[in-house]
Amino acid sequence: MTVSEILLDPYDYDFHEDPYPYYRRLRDEAPLYRNPELGFWALSRHRDVLTGFRNSTTLSNKFGVSLDPASRGPHASKTMSFLAMDDPAHLRLRTLVSKGFTPRRIRELEPRVTEIALAHLDTMLAKAADGETVDYVDEFAGKLPMDVISELMGVPDADRAQVRAWADGVMHRDEGVTDVPPAAVEASINLIVYYQNMVAERRSTPTDDLTSALLEAEIDGDRLTDDEILGFMFLMVIAGNETTTKLLANAAFWGHRNPDQLRPVYDDLSRVPLWVEETLRYDTSSQILARTVVGELTLYDTVIPDGDVLLLLPGSAHRDERVFDDPDDYVIGREIGSKLMSFGSGAHFCLGAHLARMEARVALAELFTRIRDYEVDEANAVRVHSSNVRGFAHLPIHVTVR
């Protein structure tokens, strides 16, 4: 097969099942890849992806970071907030949001995250204790992250299941769908209307949640508009909810596949963060991020014209043998450090990275406090089908409770 016959199609179900052989060929044979049918370029080597993340002038975010046509364009910031902006607009909005979304607020949230995790775990393990197989995503990994975001924002308990259902609807794609389907548009509108009402309530009656903190955030008289607050809330749903759900399920799946690596974690829960980091490297939730070339960019003796889409592939970068020893081995405790790009790098480094890591650490540690072992029913596991996110829609497990 010639280089020109390598195919990277982010919508292909076979690619979703296992993208890593495709990535290896790209790194070796086409480190700058071109897909003329879908109209994008792609970078797959670690060095190139890292350089791409850090080049926020030539590689613009202003048309969004997804390949999906409905998510791309000058309107992208309405739902993706500052992730779909360049400086100085990006820096202004991010700085204002950071006044409310502080590390301290995240630290103070941990006891509540633990309580939410325990509530869902209790329900799941009660079913598991009767010997029935439980769906780890439906019962736990798919519920916790959105409930944590709702807790942070101040969504009342009674509304959280509905908000979670809308959030799921925003992300769902059926096979062969390469754009945002009508059901997802409807779910998005429902969420935005709900959040609009919440913002209006907080304007008249402030509380101590993040929604009120965003309304109060101010730098030299500059404040966030309602639309900017809504954009950030929506970004949390898209970027903060789904990726953490996928991280939790990917950790469970690869832990199951590598019992020799997982056994020491049962005995020493201080190893849970190492388990999280290796999962982020080995099979990161966020696999593909789009940028738009501004001016022109020359890579590998090739000129990429102004306005073209360039995909950065952190999922591939993390398996680059030029950077990691035995990258296709799942090794909990390996040296990763700053080589990790699951949360990006540079100006757009994920503002929620510390929240995602805290959630994953709490969730997996509480799970392992209560179980002795688990088995994944791989035959009935269902992968999510997305052009940029990798993980499971369903992960049935059989659990041995302590």
Side-chain angles (χ1 to χ4, degrees):
M1 191 183 272
T2 64
V3 170
S4 62
E5 289 175 303
I6 301 174
L7 184 65
L8 172 67
D9 178 356
Y11 298 104
D12 178 65
Y13 271 32
D14 187 61
F15 173 75
H16 297 163
E17 287 301 320
D18 186 6
Y20 297 104
Y22 292 85
Y23 289 154
R24 186 184 304 114
R25 288 203 59 196
L26 290 179
R27 290 193 304 270
D28 290 344
E29 300 171 42
L32 175 63
Y33 169 80
R34 171 80 177 139
N35 184 317
E37 285 78 31
L38 290 172
F40 67 78
W41 303 78
L43 291 172
S44 49
R45 289 182 181 173
H46 190 282
R47 180 193 64 196
D48 296 332
V49 175
L50 185 60
T51 303
F53 274 131
R54 291 180 176 174
N55 179 359
S56 53
T57 47
T58 311
L59 295 180
S60 167
N61 283 45
K62 69 183 173 192
F63 296 107
V65 297
S66 167
L67 192 59
D68 296 354
S71 303
R72 290 195 62 70
H75 61 279
S77 63
K78 284 191 170 26
T79 51
M80 294 302 280
S81 186
F82 51 75
L83 186 56
M85 292 180 183
D86 297 329
D87 289 338
H90 158 262
L91 184 61
R92 172 197 163 262
L93 190 52
R94 186 182 172 111
T95 306
L96 275 165
V97 163
S98 297
K99 302 276 281 187
F101 192 72
T102 59
R104 179 183 170 185
R105 186 177 288 276
I106 301 311
R107 276 198 308 278
E108 290 174 350
L109 190 65
E110 186 167 329
R112 277 295 294 139
V113 173
T114 306
E115 285 175 25
I116 295 166
L118 288 178
H120 291 313
L121 270 177
D122 287 346
T123 304
M124 181 176 86
L125 295 178
K127 293 180 181 176
D130 297 334
E132 76 175 87
T133 300
V134 289
D135 189 332
Y136 174 83
V137 174
D138 277 356
E139 298 284 349
F140 186 51
K143 288 184 172 176
L144 177 68
M146 194 60 222
D147 283 358
V148 169
I149 289 166
S150 288
E151 175 75 24
L152 194 60
M153 290 179 181
V155 174
D157 281 347
D159 295 350
R160 289 183 189 179
Q162 177 62 72
V163 168
R164 201 164 61 228
W166 285 329
D168 289 344
V170 170
M171 305 311 298
H172 181 75
R173 299 290 179 276
D174 288 323
E175 183 161 12
V177 174
T178 59
D179 207 343
V180 180
V185 174
E186 185 182 342
S188 302
I189 292 166
N190 285 330
L191 256 186
I192 286 172
V193 169
Y194 181 87
Y195 286 148
Q196 274 174 332
N197 291 334
M198 217 166 101
V199 169
E201 278 175 22
R202 295 302 185 279
R203 273 214 185 279
S204 58
T205 316
T207 54
D208 61 356
D209 53 39
L210 178 61
T211 306
S212 292
L214 293 172
L215 281 164
E216 290 160 15
E218 180 258 335
I219 299 172
D220 298 331
D222 186 16
R223 289 177 177 270
L224 295 163
T225 66
D226 283 10
D227 279 352
E228 287 170 340
I229 293 170
L230 286 169
F232 176 67
M233 292 168 87
F234 206 80
L235 174 65
M236 292 277 287
V237 171
I238 296 172
N241 167 35
E242 194 189 26
T243 49
T244 310
T245 287
K246 304 302 177 268
L247 166 59
L248 289 171
N250 289 344
F253 181 80
W254 293 112
H256 152 81
R257 274 279 183 95
N258 295 272
D260 60 314
Q261 292 296 315
L262 201 58
R263 187 46 51 193
V265 182
Y266 282 99
D267 303 327
D268 178 7
L269 293 181
S270 72
R271 293 185 64 80
V272 167
L274 299 175
W275 178 21
V276 172
E277 292 304 296
E278 176 63 348
T279 303
L280 285 166
R281 179 201 72 84
Y282 188 80
D283 200 21
T284 188
S285 310
S286 192
Q287 293 267 322
I288 297 175
L289 289 146
R291 297 290 189 266
T292 305
V293 175
V294 176
E296 62 179 38
L297 181 64
T298 302
L299 290 166
Y300 293 95
D301 301 322
T302 304
V303 175
I304 304 175
D306 178 67
D308 275 19
V309 176
L310 177 69
L311 301 184
L312 303 175
L313 310 178
S316 170
H318 290 156
R319 296 287 191 102
D320 191 344
E321 54 287 327
R322 295 157 191 82
V323 174
F324 295 101
D325 295 331
D326 303 314
D328 293 328
D329 293 345
Y330 187 74
V331 182
I332 294 174
R334 76 156 72 226
E335 173 55 44
I336 303 172
S338 61
K339 294 181 290 206
L340 190 76
M341 288 184 274
S342 296
F343 301 108
S345 188
H348 286 277
F349 182 81
C350 175
L351 198 60
H354 50 307
L355 175 61
R357 284 179 161 126
M358 181 267 278
E359 274 183 70
R361 170 176 57 77
V362 167
L364 295 170
E366 293 299 340
L367 175 68
F368 269 32
T369 302
R370 283 160 182 74
I371 68 170
R372 280 207 312 276
D373 201 6
Y374 69 96
E375 285 288 322
V376 172
D377 175 8
E378 290 192 35
N380 290 301
V382 179
R383 284 206 166 275
V384 75
H385 294 292
S386 158
S387 63
N388 54 0
V389 173
R390 180 164 159 78
F392 292 92
H394 298 288
L395 195 69
I397 62 171
H398 186 80
V399 181
T400 308
V401 180
R402 284 191 190 268

